[in-house]
Amino acid sequence: MAMAKALAGIIGWPVSHSLSPRLHNYWLSHHKIEGEYVRLAVEPKDLPAAIRDLKAKGLRGANLTIPHKEAAMSLLDEIDEEARIIGAVNTIVVEKDGRLRGTNTDAYGFMANIAPHLPRPRNKAVVLGAGGAARAVCHGLRKCGFGEIVVLNRTQPRAGELSAWFGGALRVEPWLERDRALEGADLLVNTTSLGMTGKEALSINVKMLPAHALVTDIVYAPLETPLLKDAKAFGYAAVDGLGMLLHQAVPAFEAWFGIRPDVTDELRHYVLEGG
Ligand code: ATR
């Protein structure tokens, strides 16, 4: 009897731009797994049905992207600690008994991407932005020991809400003070959409950072944002956002298909060719 094809997919609206199919299908083929990772274009009103139908359609799980990550929280049988702390689900696993488990691999992906480049000391981090991505980033930073996390957001009350989410553990400073906030910081993270293709560049004086600081952007289109270009020009270590996308996919692939895949240069190039 032929084995059923191993399936997983990404649920989003829109979902056509996602690089995840290219990424997971590369690993499936690399590991000679008879399977496919598909795009599932699902409008918000249809999300409950789409999640309910995962098992019936033979999927082992799914990723969630815009705008479903938070809405999925109330639609699953179990939410693990990572997803609870971040307040969003980016990965659903259909367990052997059919239960649907929600997890979130974004904080892991963010940290795994910068881990080889993290400076010493690592006390103070400056995070720009206060959306869902910032929540995952701040969780990752707290987990790996950054004791002083400063958040700045154009709409300051949102930064306040982000800090409150973590029990007031983050320091909020005004968006207009972002140059000064860089003093003494070991890490700068941009989680805003500034610098993305078609958007204005982030305006900030990176030279205010100490020489050992690392600069990273979660934007990956373009790969080298004006912020990263600036940082490199002034001699700072800089890490692009594509690696976060690649690394967040590792635990998801492992949960669905039973093999922990590697993030390699060849994978990076392959995914970029499809972008
Ligand atoms: P995500 O979930 O990916 O973080 P989001 O919730 O839309 O997406 O957040 C986008 C971030 O980019 C927000 O921090 C947003 O700031 P506001 O909260 O003030 O909207 C930030 N952002 C977007 N455009 C910006 C701009 N022109 N200047 C400054 N910040 C901007």
Side-chain angles (χ1 to χ4, degrees), residues 66 128-134 153-155 158 175 191-194 199-200 218:
I66 290 169
L128 303 176
N153 193 54
R154 176 181 59 179
T155 310
R158 265 190 111 188
W175 181 245
T191 76
T192 75
S193 48
L194 292 171
K199 300 252 176 158
E200 59 187 296
I218 69 159

Side-chain angles (χ1 to χ4, degrees), residues 66-133:
I66 290 169
H68 300 314
K69 288 186 179 187
E70 291 175 19
M73 292 284 287
S74 60
L75 301 172
L76 301 166
D77 298 313
E78 185 191 334
I79 299 290
D80 79 0
E81 197 187 353
E82 281 294 290
R84 237 188 344 260
I85 293 174
I86 297 170
V89 170
N90 82 334
T91 303
I92 299 172
V93 180
V94 180
E95 304 283 17
K96 292 267 183 299
D97 61 3
R99 286 170 60 81
L100 300 174
R101 175 168 61 87
T103 183
N104 194 312
T105 63
D106 285 335
Y108 166 81
F110 171 70
M111 292 312 302
N113 185 37
I114 63 170
H117 312 278
L118 272 177
R120 287 263 180 220
R122 51 187 73 148
N123 300 321
K124 177 178 174 182
V126 173
V127 177
L128 303 176

Side-chain angles (χ1 to χ4, degrees), residues 15-36:
V15 77
S16 57
H17 64 283
S18 172
L19 293 177
S20 291
R22 201 167 165 85
L23 162 58
H24 284 281
N25 285 321
Y26 171 95
W27 280 331
L28 284 169
S29 142
H30 182 82
H31 290 288
K32 301 190 170 48
I33 297 170
E34 185 68 34
E36 192 180 355

